[in-house]
């Protein structure tokens, strides 16, 4: 079973708008990571947030983590057509070797 | 250039044949992983290896085999026992660090069974 579940499964917005994707998970975690995947390509790491952190920023990306609700959100501000991709959350339960990936959110940004 | 490579990019197999997917990294990472991705889905872990000559099954290891004879290489064999092997296969690696435990991914191999 998947640890992380993204919501929505698909999102279509206009360029310049903000995009928000959510991830829920089931068990306690050490950290949560967000990855991006362009169609037919490998995944690229975007940002990591640890269980003792509540918010983190990287450029136009803002990630929040609510451990009490076992959920995280990824906000992309001022979206661009080049942001069109699938976005996955991945949970690391014990800072060990394994990540468990969610099903992803497919984002389309229309120019 | 440092990175992780996979070959081939596209692979076609006849039913009943074994095929081997290559994964090489020059990042000096200890851990390596194989994932399977079906259309519109997330990643499922097939096998992973933390050190040379050692590997563990992931969630969907049946019908697959791996080896880890060198730190840089982690080939995946899709055997004839895998009933539905058509999928996108992704290899990843990770170094051991207290600060970061992100995984670095290769470009993937798309396997199609004819």
């Amino acid at each position: 079973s998947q640890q992380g579940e993204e919501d929505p499964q698909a999102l279509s917005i206009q360029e310049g708008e903000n995009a928000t994707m959510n991830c829920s998970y089931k068990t306690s975690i050490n950290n949560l990571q967000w990855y991006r995947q362009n169609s037919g390509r490998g995944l690229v790491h975007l940002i990591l947030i640890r269980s003792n952190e509540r918010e983190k920023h990287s450029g136009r990306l803002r990630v929040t983590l609510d451990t009490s609700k076992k959920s995280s959100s990824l906000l992309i501000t001022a979206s661009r057509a080049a942001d069109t991709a699938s976005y996955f959350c991945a949970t690391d339960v014990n800072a060990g070797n394994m990540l468990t990936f969610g099903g992803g959110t497919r984002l389309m940004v229309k120019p | 250039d440092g990175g992780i490579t996979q070959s081939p990019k596209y692979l076609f197999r006849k039913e009943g044949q074994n095929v081997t997917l290559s994964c090489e990294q020059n990042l000096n990472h200890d851990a390596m992983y194989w994932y399977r991705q079906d259309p519109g889905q997330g990643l499922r872990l097939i096998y992973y290896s933390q050190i040379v000559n050692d590997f563990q099954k992931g969630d969907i290891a049946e019908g697959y085999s791996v080896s880890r004879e060198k730190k840089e290489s982690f080939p995946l064999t899709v055997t004839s026992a895998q009933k539905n092997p058509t999928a996108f296969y992704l290899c990843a690696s990770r170094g051991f660090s207290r600060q970061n435990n992100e995984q670095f991914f290769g470009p993937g191999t798309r396997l199609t069974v004819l």
Side-chain angles (χ1 to χ4, degrees):
Chain A
S1 63
Q2 290 180 333
Q3 163 76 316
E5 296 291 341
E6 281 94 338
D7 170 61
Q9 291 187 333
L11 180 61
S12 181
I13 59 174
Q14 293 295 132
E15 207 165 22
E17 294 180 340
N18 295 342
T20 299
M21 289 159 267
N22 302 296
C23 171
S24 60
Y25 57 91
K26 299 173 184 175
T27 63
S28 296
I29 60 172
N30 176 277
N31 67 78
L32 185 145
Q33 303 177 31
W34 285 91
Y35 288 80
R36 166 193 169 128
Q37 182 182 34
N38 284 16
S39 180
R41 309 290 292 273
L43 277 69
V44 175
H45 182 264
L46 295 175
I47 197 164
L48 179 153
I49 187 165
R50 302 188 189 283
S51 60
N52 61 353
E53 298 175 314
R54 292 297 167 257
E55 187 170 313
K56 208 162 182 181
H57 297 256
S58 177
R60 294 185 295 112
L61 304 181
R62 172 179 168 246
V63 169
T64 62
L65 179 64
D66 186 335
T67 53
S68 66
K69 295 181 179 179
K70 292 185 171 58
S71 67
S72 174
S73 67
L74 171 67
L75 169 67
I76 303 174
T77 61
S79 64
R80 305 166 182 169
D83 293 329
T84 295
S86 292
Y87 293 83
F88 295 90
C89 68
T91 52
D92 183 343
V93 172
N94 56 8
N97 276 290
M98 295 179 59
L99 293 177
T100 303
F101 287 83
T105 292
R106 293 182 296 283
L107 173 66
M108 176 175 288
V109 181
K110 300 176 183 177
Chain B
D1 288 337
I4 181 166
T5 59
Q6 292 183 241
S7 63
K9 186 173 183 179
Y10 298 98
L11 186 57
F12 297 90
R13 187 193 95 173
K14 294 181 180 180
E15 284 194 29
Q17 285 183 335
N18 293 354
V19 290
T20 297
L21 283 59
S22 169
C23 178
E24 303 277 335
Q25 54 97 1
N26 61 3
L27 301 168
N28 199 33
H29 284 170
D30 290 290
M32 297 186 74
Y33 308 82
W34 274 106
Y35 295 93
R36 169 180 172 140
Q37 186 179 32
D38 292 288
Q41 303 295 314
L43 279 64
R44 291 185 290 168
L45 183 64
I46 304 172
Y47 269 98
Y48 68 102
S49 168
Q50 299 182 45
I51 56 173
V52 174
N53 293 322
D54 186 54
F55 48 83
Q56 288 79 39
K57 293 181 179 180
D59 299 322
I60 55 165
E62 185 175 352
Y64 301 96
S65 65
V66 293
S67 63
R68 187 85 187 276
E69 298 177 0
K70 298 187 300 182
K71 187 175 184 178
E72 301 79 16
S73 179
F74 191 39
L76 173 74
T77 296
V78 184
T79 74
S80 57
Q82 170 51 236
K83 298 306 178 187
N84 185 23
T86 294
F88 189 51
Y89 290 88
L90 287 159
C91 180
S93 68
R94 170 184 173 254
F96 288 123
S97 166
R98 284 184 174 272
Q99 285 71 39
N100 293 303
N101 64 345
E102 67 187 89
Q103 293 186 11
F104 293 80
F105 284 81
T109 292
R110 188 167 299 280
L111 172 64
T112 302
V113 174
L114 303 174

